Amino acid sequence: MPEYLLKLYITGQTNRSKRAIANLRQICEQTLQGQYRIVIIDIQEQPQLAEDERILATPTLIKELPEPIRRIIGDLSDTEQVLFGLDLKTDTEFINNHTGGES
Amino acid sequence: MSTQASKSVPKLETGIPGFEHITDGGLPKGRTTLLSGTAGSAKTVFAVQFLAEGISRMDEHGVFVTFEETPDDIRKNMTGFGWDIETWEAEGKWAFVDASPQPGEESVVSGSYDMGGLLARIEYAVRQVGATRLSMDSLGAIFTQFADGGAIRRVLLRIASTLKQMGVTAVMTAERVQEYGDIARFGIEEFVADNVIILRNALEEEKRRRTVEILKFRGAPHQKGEFPFTIVPNQGIVAIPLSAIELKQQSSNIRVTSGSSEMDKMCGGGFFRDSIILVSGATGTGKTLLTTHFIAGGTNNNERCLLFAFEESREQLFRNAGGWGFDFEQMEQAGLLKVVCAYPEMAGLEDHLLNMRAAITEFQPHRIAVDSLSAIERISTIKGFREFVIGLTSFIKQKEIIGLFTATTPTLVGGTSITEAHISTITDSIILLRYVEMFGEMRRGLTVLKMRGSIHDKDIREFVIDNQGMHIGKPFRNVAGILVGNPTQIAPEEIDRISGLFSQE
């Protein structure tokens, strides 16, 4: 399994920021078996980084590695969506789960 | 409270030509103004120009937040107006916050979010360039990028209050669906409702007419109604403020010659120096001739004359003048005459007005002649035409220039032109030229219908045209109905014959 580089952009220590950090940690522990690195960036302290990455919504999670780069916005409370966004779930699995496995 | 309220919000001069008049001094300082308009109503141009004028005229720096076009597109699209954004960026006077959608990049949404990134980046950019002006273009695009409309509304409110604290004057643009309807899509006006400006690009009788309207400025005065504006290459938006026209022109009692001594006599000693004269008549009655006399009268006294010709080409004008014994070429060489020929259809009404103003400012004439206003009317709506005439007359009156306009009547005998009906109250003097049918012959009659502040000849006089120009003769006697616009009037020769019988008995 390749190493994951995950950058989480937040604005200050708000409840939403804290929720996003906790949700991210939990998902990683459960699915990535230690093969990951999380970098948390507070854009109030480092606005230039937000400018470079063109962050609009916070929290924003960017999966930089492995490629392709993916973005997930929100507090990461919907685990299914996060897994889909991290390419840990395929489209068909995703659709099946969301249509209640109709096929 | 009452003392607070009576003090109006200070204004920030935008630098957009004509706009300060409409807004009574500019945009409310330190506030956010919503600029709403349909597609193609020049919102982006306004948003960019607001910053560009700030940088180039007042050395005030600006931040441009773009939700729609990429910064690169904006840099390229705006070079035609002479705004070198790239250089300003390099000089630290301009900063982009690029919030335009990235192609091929979709983000997955998981849970709730806010737009804190946008706010942080805006604050950062404002600090970096020391901006006092900010434009956001256009809000509709961000509503389509993010599904959570509530989050966007909240951040826009926060942006507005943050900018207020930082002393930044801002413009946010938003789309409208119709020219006359809801202020903006997505209910944007509900949260940035203090100041609203509407740009319109309405189609009226197959002609596009751009207008700007200040819908409201909370706690600050402004002009009401729609004002025409146009977009000029190398300049951008130029508003044409009609209400800026105050009736404070000085009026002088100084008389100047009409170019014809007989006409001067009819007017009680000549035209007033800063008056507007309307010459109305059917085609071929001698309007251009009267104009030529008027110009020659000026140049003979070493006055500079500017002629705007919308009907005839330069060659035709010069040849005609030559036929009446006037040498336009020589006047031009002496620097006393400038002839500007233009097809009315060449440009929009507002552009014609701006071009004419520019020519007047450049040439600094003592006299102006427009031959003919009716040709201009052809390309415009009634409302637009009236604005044009007011815009032109007020401009030349401020400069104490005498103006002579011609208007063509639609019928050969009698009648009034639409031009006349719309502008007669604006003009100081009206001269009518009419065909008079007598004994199976067409003769020409002339009368001074109105002359403000002066006695004048009330007769309808006959005039003839030869290779020396115009000669005004005796009044028509025993002829009735010359001025009446109804061609089914009693035949003049009939009256003449009857009265002639009586007088010879």
Side-chain angles (χ1 to χ4, degrees):
Chain A
M1 193 174 199
E3 164 125 335
Y4 276 75
L5 175 57
L6 302 170
K7 289 189 178 169
L8 182 66
Y9 293 81
I10 55 165
T11 39
Q13 294 298 318
T14 61
N15 285 336
R16 190 179 278 126
S17 302
K18 287 173 189 162
R19 270 204 309 278
I21 295 167
N23 286 333
L24 178 62
R25 291 219 161 105
Q26 199 188 353
I27 292 166
C28 289
E29 274 167 31
Q30 283 169 3
T31 55
L32 294 177
Q33 299 135 25
Q35 296 291 309
Y36 63 91
R37 200 153 64 86
I38 295 173
V39 181
I40 291 167
I41 297 153
D42 185 345
I43 61 173
Q44 286 182 336
E45 284 159 22
Q46 293 172 288
Q48 184 62 51
L49 294 181
E51 188 57 47
D52 295 344
E53 285 299 331
R54 304 162 31 87
I55 305 288
L56 294 175
T58 48
T60 292
L61 176 66
I62 301 182
K63 179 191 72 141
E64 292 203 352
L65 288 171
E67 293 202 20
I69 294 170
R70 296 273 187 229
R71 281 177 179 235
I72 303 166
I73 62 173
D75 63 7
L76 311 178
S77 53
D78 184 339
T79 310
E80 290 261 313
Q81 288 278 36
V82 177
L83 295 177
F84 172 62
L86 293 176
D87 297 326
L88 290 167
K89 258 192 178 183
T90 62
D91 278 9
T92 44
E93 271 177 280
F94 182 70
I95 289 163
N96 285 341
N97 280 336
H98 276 253
T99 52
E102 205 181 312
S103 61
Chain B
M1 175 70 197
S2 60
T3 48
Q4 286 273 304
S6 65
K7 272 185 200 161
S8 64
V9 179
K11 299 275 179 70
L12 176 88
E13 218 179 297
T14 58
I16 296 171
F19 191 69
E20 261 69 62
H21 281 296
I22 300 170
T23 53
D24 281 352
L27 292 177
K29 201 170 184 170
R31 305 288 172 93
T32 296
T33 300
L34 180 69
L35 185 71
S36 194
T38 51
S41 61
K43 297 184 297 292
T44 304
V45 178
F46 189 104
V48 173
Q49 191 172 359
F50 172 59
L51 301 191
E53 302 285 2
I55 292 170
S56 53
R57 287 176 196 241
M58 293 109 179
D59 200 32
E60 294 175 3
H61 299 179
V63 167
F64 196 94
V65 186
T66 175
F67 295 119
E68 206 163 11
E69 291 176 83
T70 63
D72 223 36
D73 283 342
I74 293 172
R75 285 183 201 112
K76 281 194 197 107
N77 295 346
M78 296 300 154
T79 49
F81 295 115
W83 301 324
D84 188 357
I85 297 173
E86 219 163 336
T87 305
W88 291 333
E89 283 178 282
E91 292 170 348
K93 294 175 177 173
W94 177 298
F96 273 110
V97 172
D98 181 6
S100 61
Q102 295 294 92
E105 186 183 272
E106 317 164 39
S107 38
V108 174
V109 179
S110 169
S112 71
Y113 57 89
D114 57 41
M115 304 299 294
L118 177 63
L119 180 65
R121 286 169 64 192
I122 289 174
E123 274 188 75
Y124 177 60
V126 167
R127 289 219 170 83
Q128 276 221 311
V129 295
T132 48
R133 295 178 182 219
L134 181 136
S135 289
M136 293 175 84
D137 182 59
S138 100
L139 296 184
I142 195 177
F143 278 92
T144 52
Q145 261 190 74
F146 293 94
D148 188 353
I152 297 164
R153 286 191 191 90
R154 278 192 296 278
V155 79
L156 290 176
L157 265 179
R158 280 185 63 195
I159 289 170
S161 74
T162 305
L163 292 175
K164 196 174 185 175
Q165 278 168 19
M166 297 174 93
V168 176
T169 309
V171 171
M172 288 183 180
T173 70
E175 291 80 17
R176 316 179 69 199
V177 183
Q178 293 168 308
E179 293 298 356
Y180 297 90
D182 290 345
I183 292 174
R185 290 172 70 191
F186 306 108
I188 291 163
E189 76 280 4
E190 284 164 26
F191 52 90
V192 262
D194 281 358
N195 310 299
V196 179
I197 295 175
I198 291 180
L199 297 179
R200 290 192 177 90
N201 186 19
L203 194 59
E204 283 177 15
E205 293 169 38
E206 298 181 6
K207 281 144 199 148
R208 284 278 169 198
R209 185 165 169 270
R210 292 184 183 279
T211 61
V212 52
E213 179 187 8
I214 316 298
L215 197 66
K216 61 171 164 178
F217 273 180
R218 191 162 284 173
H222 61 86
Q223 303 290 320
K224 298 187 177 56
E226 290 182 43
F227 295 87
F229 74 89
T230 183
I231 297 172
V232 185
N234 276 318
Q235 211 177 341
I237 290 173
V238 178
I240 300 153
L242 299 173
S243 60
I245 297 152
E246 292 161 47
L247 285 171
K248 64 178 180 192
Q249 305 99 357
Q250 295 171 349
S251 79
S252 68
N253 288 323
I254 301 167
R255 302 260 187 174
V256 293
T257 179
S258 64
S260 150
S261 54
E262 295 135 344
M263 173 68 90
D264 287 349
K265 241 178 269 164
M266 283 184 80
C267 294
F271 297 148
F272 286 119
R273 197 192 60 194
D274 39 21
S275 63
I276 306 287
I277 299 119
L278 180 70
V279 177
S280 165
T283 174
T285 43
K287 296 186 300 298
T288 303
L289 173 60
L290 208 75
T291 309
T292 307
H293 270 283
F294 175 72
I295 286 169
T299 54
N300 282 344
N301 292 335
N302 265 328
E303 291 176 8
R304 277 189 305 281
C305 304
L306 183 55
L307 170 62
F308 295 101
F310 293 107
E311 279 181 348
E312 288 170 295
S313 71
R314 201 186 139 82
E315 285 69 31
Q316 275 175 306
L317 280 168
F318 280 51
R319 193 192 58 213
N320 292 347
W324 296 316
F326 298 104
D327 191 349
F328 270 9
E329 208 122 352
Q330 201 188 351
M331 297 175 195
E332 213 177 38
Q333 272 160 20
L336 293 173
L337 173 66
K338 187 181 162 81
V339 180
V340 178
C341 292
Y343 265 114
E345 282 79 4
M346 224 170 57
L349 212 57
E350 289 80 13
D351 296 301
H352 275 301
L353 179 56
L354 290 176
N355 291 344
M356 289 168 83
R357 284 188 184 188
I360 292 165
T361 310
E362 194 199 315
F363 191 64
Q364 297 287 332
H366 299 92
R367 305 184 164 213
I368 289 168
V370 179
D371 188 27
S372 72
L373 271 187
S374 307
I376 285 276
E377 194 188 328
R378 206 164 65 208
I379 59 156
S380 70
T381 61
I382 291 171
K383 206 192 309 176
F385 181 68
R386 195 181 294 143
E387 283 166 356
F388 169 83
V389 174
I390 294 172
L392 182 63
T393 50
S394 65
F395 184 73
I396 68 176
K397 279 201 165 190
Q398 278 163 12
K399 298 196 174 291
E400 294 178 12
I401 298 170
I402 179 167
L404 183 135
F405 304 155
T406 68
T408 309
T409 49
T411 53
L412 281 186
V413 283
T416 52
S417 68
I418 305 160
T419 312
E420 232 177 279
H422 285 302
I423 69 166
S424 56
T425 51
I426 301 163
T427 56
D428 300 294
S429 304
I430 299 175
I431 296 167
L432 297 184
L433 304 178
R434 291 288 185 264
Y435 282 118
V436 184
E437 192 189 340
M438 278 177 81
F439 308 113
E441 193 189 353
M442 274 298 201
R443 290 155 82 168
R444 291 181 173 92
L446 174 155
T447 189
V448 179
L449 192 69
K450 149 178 153 181
M451 190 161 173
R452 245 174 220 162
S454 172
I455 50 154
H456 60 88
D457 195 335
K458 269 95 179 168
D459 288 327
I460 302 170
R461 288 178 180 269
E462 180 170 12
F463 72 97
V464 292
I465 300 172
D466 62 16
N467 58 7
Q468 303 284 304
M470 175 179 72
H471 303 282
I472 301 171
K474 290 201 169 105
F476 285 101
R477 295 291 178 210
N478 311 327
V479 182
I482 295 172
L483 295 178
V484 183
N486 191 347
T488 59
Q489 283 290 314
I490 309 155
E493 67 263 41
E494 197 56 32
I495 299 167
D496 193 68
R497 197 182 305 142
I498 292 163
S499 60
L501 283 173
F502 279 106
S503 61
Q504 269 159 32
E505 283 287 312

